[in-house]
DNA sequence: GTGAAAGCGCTAACAG
DNA sequence: CTGTTAGCGCTTTCAC
């Protein structure tokens, strides 16, 4: 139906009695065409049912696909239910839309082969959203194809990156807890790598995390001079995981007086666990998160957190991708975070 | 960088001392090529840094873009945070990925102009996900371009549709409440149209809803022989709206004994409102939802609801789109729903 | 202002 | 098995 013999610009030109090039100009408006001719061409187009220039042909001629691929975790369901990803993607989509660039959405897990789309899809650049480890198949495939890449949440030499002041964020959060008199502080980290397992981490000597934000946020806590009394790596950044971690941390005699979770979703889970255990927040335990997302279902509580400029991050990523497409060199951007006061932290009770 | 003079198949052919067509066959594997020649071509490609066939050129030649557009509400942030959309999109992405079709994500609000991408983007078909009213700008633009369309959540003659047994769903839910002895049943509907306002609806004589699911789910309640004691249209299907509606319905002397919300997100909001008001669920009020999504943060409660096969819906939509691309005729599919038992409904107390 | 010509990079007949 | 030929539909110099 679509692939069949649709009418082309040549048909229009023939019908209007002009050359193809003139017809082209009449449509694109990119050159001088007599108003009368223009009218005639447009009329012919309408008459014979011409649907406008074929975007693929245009792309071939221009040498640009007009499309930026956005690589997200394999399960969109998860990527999107997470407000952090959703809001970032929203920012990317806005900026790309403003520049009339298409957004090719490519789900791809970190391990295993890159999907066919990534290997063969038409794209001028790619944005790897979400956590990616150095050896990432997606990144590698893109490199081989020579597609310029923008990485979010990662440190890469060979790609543009949009980073975050993770480290300053958790440092600030930790200092605030210290100021409130907390000394027994536990941490729920982000995943260290793609393995997806829940496990206690040695707070004195944690393994090196493959994921940059995990590494940086941990470093921030240490910057504030704190060695956590307990540290737990969740399988994923999900509410359910937060609940599980919360139980492991709070349902014990030597309960910490404060918990820092490296994401709001995890912090929310810890809060729910505290509620289930009959603990009052913040009287019995203080809980801090990271991201500053809006979690209306946590009402009446609002997480004490650190906001990252998610929409802006998306804008920056899209902008970086567009720049690379235009031949720009990969730049490395670092976005600031700002403390967001909430109801879930308070002075330590003795 | 990308648009510059990259190496082409012709370069490879020249280097390998074969014709372009042979080189092409060596890459696509779509014809008989002597293993030796094939090796030689591949070696040349590697040597001169050929990155593989240009997807745009291939598309032009094939007459297929290899891309399906997926139109979602203007704010991705909202579309995705909603588990219903997220899971549907996940299903679409899976199926499209399996067929090696690209997913072009296009945010577009229902009113106002269709975005440039929809007017000029390369696509073989489009899926309109999320609520769409008959006059929809996106749908109209697509029609004018002659792009075949699949509509979710809508009744359309001129497009393939993937529907849901909404009506049977709410009818069943209502009957179950009746069986539990409820007679004072209130309803929180879905939005009736794109206006986004919260308002009470005349239960005896509701306006006609532009959105199909709203219409059908209401009809289902009536099918069960119930006229709601109160009916409230939310501005959107969001937890916050559910909370607001919950307060309006439950914080009054003639409080209903049961509330049916037309989405789980709204039902969750009503449940939170009930908790805030100190009402026990289901002892003081029963609450039923629709969709059957997983809301871990509602623990320990699980909404009594009706599950729709979201992933399957996504699969079906993608499949329908692929069929249309291949010249198939628009079909109209109706997917079943299944009751999902939960903890939020119980016998009426007197 | 308008037209002729030359491809963008690839694939698919069709000969050989 | 391999090469020749002919476009896919459009844009863009460059003459006129």
């Amino acid at each position: 139906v679509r692939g069949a013999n649709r009418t082309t610009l040549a048909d229009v030109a023939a019908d209007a009695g002009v050359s193809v090039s003139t017809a082209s100009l009449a449509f694109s408006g990119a050159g001088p065409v007599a108003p009368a001719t223009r009218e005639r061409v447009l009329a012919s187009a309408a008459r014979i049912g011409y649907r406008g220039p074929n975007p693929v042909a245009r792309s071939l001629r221009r040498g640009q696909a007009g499309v930026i691929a956005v690589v997200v975790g394999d399960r969109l369901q998860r990527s999107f239910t997470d407000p952090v990803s959703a809001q970032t993607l929203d920012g990317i989509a806005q900026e790309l839309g403003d520049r009339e660039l298409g957004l090719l959405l490519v789900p791809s897990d970190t391990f295993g082969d890159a999907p066919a789309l990534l290997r063969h899809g038409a794209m001028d650049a790619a944005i790897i959203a979400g956590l990616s480890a150095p050896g990432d198949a997606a990144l590698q495939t893109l490199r081989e194809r020579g597609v310029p890449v923008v990485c979010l949440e990662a440190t890469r030499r060979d790609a543009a990156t949009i980073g975050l002041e993770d480290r300053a964020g958790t440092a600030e959060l930790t200092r605030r807890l210290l100021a409130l008199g907390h000394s027994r502080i536990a941490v729920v980290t982000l995943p260290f790598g793609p393995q997806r397992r829940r496990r206690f981490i040695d707070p004195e000597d944690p393994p090196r995390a493959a994921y940059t934000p995990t590494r940086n946020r941990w470093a921030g806590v240490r910057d504030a001079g704190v060695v956590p009394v307990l540290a737990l790596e969740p399988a994923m950044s999900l509410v359910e995981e937060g609940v599980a971690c919360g139980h492991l941390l709070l349902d014990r005699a030597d309960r910490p007086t404060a918990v820092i979770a490296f994401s709001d979703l995890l912090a929310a889970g810890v809060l729910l666990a505290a509620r289930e255990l009959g603990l009052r927040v913040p009287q019995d335990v203080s809980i801090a998160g990271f991201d500053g997302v809006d979690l209306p279902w946590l009402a009446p509580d609002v997480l004490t957190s650190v906001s990252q400029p998610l929409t802006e991050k998306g804008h920056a990523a899209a902008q970086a991708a567009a720049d690379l497409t235009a031949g720009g060199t990969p730049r490395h951007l670092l976005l600031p975070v700002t403390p967001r006061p909430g109801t879930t932290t308070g002075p330590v009770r003795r």
Side-chain angles (χ1 to χ4, degrees), chain A:
Chain A
V1 158
R2 199 99 219 297
N5 38 1
R6 294 180 60 222
T7 61
T8 76
L9 204 49
D11 300 329
V12 178
D15 185 88
V18 298
S19 73
V20 223
S21 48
T22 305
S24 174
L25 292 182
F27 271 96
S28 66
V33 180
T37 333
R38 186 197 168 79
E39 287 303 314
R40 199 143 42 84
V41 172
L42 262 32
S44 284
R47 226 176 49 69
I48 68 177
Y50 178 63
R51 268 86 188 257
N54 178 329
V56 177
R58 183 201 296 255
S59 287
L60 178 59
R61 184 59 237 247
R62 291 229 173 115
Q64 304 243 129
V67 168
I68 307 292
V70 177
V71 183
V72 297
D74 61 329
R75 303 296 306 208
L76 296 190
Q77 187 181 345
R78 272 200 208 99
S79 313
F80 295 160
T81 321
D82 184 345
V84 174
S85 314
Q87 209 171 322
T88 307
L89 204 70
D90 195 17
I92 294 177
Q94 279 174 25
E95 187 72 27
L96 252 29
D98 287 351
R99 295 164 181 263
E100 306 207 0
L101 287 170
L103 192 170
L104 186 71
L105 193 65
V106 185
S108 163
D109 47 10
T110 333
F111 25 78
D113 292 340
L117 272 163
L118 219 49
R119 286 201 304 276
H120 308 303
M123 60 188 73
D124 297 324
I127 298 172
I128 301 196
L131 301 171
S132 75
D136 201 310
L139 189 59
Q140 192 146 338
T141 303
L142 259 9
R143 281 231 83 40
E144 281 164 14
R145 281 187 60 183
V147 175
V149 172
V150 179
C151 275
L152 257 38
E153 333 271 10
T155 34
R156 300 266 173 283
R157 285 245 145 278
D158 53 355
T161 58
I162 313 292
L164 196 67
E165 290 181 347
D166 298 289
R167 192 159 174 169
T170 45
E172 176 64 22
L173 223 39
T174 309
R175 272 189 229 103
R176 292 190 177 211
L177 287 174
L178 288 176
L180 290 168
H182 293 276
S183 55
R184 301 185 45 72
I185 301 178
V187 166
V188 178
T189 68
L190 282 174
F192 275 58
Q195 296 85 356
R196 297 194 181 167
R197 63 186 180 285
R198 187 186 316 141
R199 58 167 180 172
F200 277 98
I201 296 291
D202 179 356
E204 307 272 2
D205 182 30
R208 178 184 162 81
Y211 295 148
T212 307
T214 312
R215 224 163 46 234
N216 288 347
R217 292 180 198 183
W218 179 273
V221 173
R222 297 307 315 272
D223 285 350
V226 165
V227 176
V229 289
L230 286 170
L232 200 45
E233 174 190 357
M236 307 184 64
S237 176
L238 290 177
V239 175
E240 302 91 298
E241 273 300 311
V243 172
C245 292
H247 277 283
L248 287 171
L249 294 177
L250 300 178
D251 196 8
R252 49 195 298 158
D254 58 343
R255 166 159 45 85
T257 63
V259 178
I260 299 178
F262 284 2
S263 84
D264 279 352
L265 245 31
L266 289 166
V270 175
L271 176 55
L272 293 179
R275 285 183 187 167
E276 283 175 22
L277 292 169
L279 298 172
R280 291 162 307 158
V281 176
Q283 291 85 347
D284 297 324
V285 60
S286 283
I287 299 173
F290 198 107
D291 292 335
V293 296
D294 189 29
L295 265 22
W297 39 264
L298 225 42
D301 281 308
V302 174
L303 284 173
T304 300
S305 186
V306 168
S307 293
Q308 48 165 319
L310 290 166
T311 306
E312 199 179 304
K313 184 155 93 174
H315 287 176
Q319 206 154 20
D323 285 355
L324 291 177
T325 300
T329 47
R331 308 188 61 75
H332 302 268
L333 201 61
L334 208 60
L335 264 24
V337 299
T338 53
R340 186 193 66 181
T343 64
T344 59
T345 51
V348 69
R349 293 255 304 242
R350 38 195 76 253

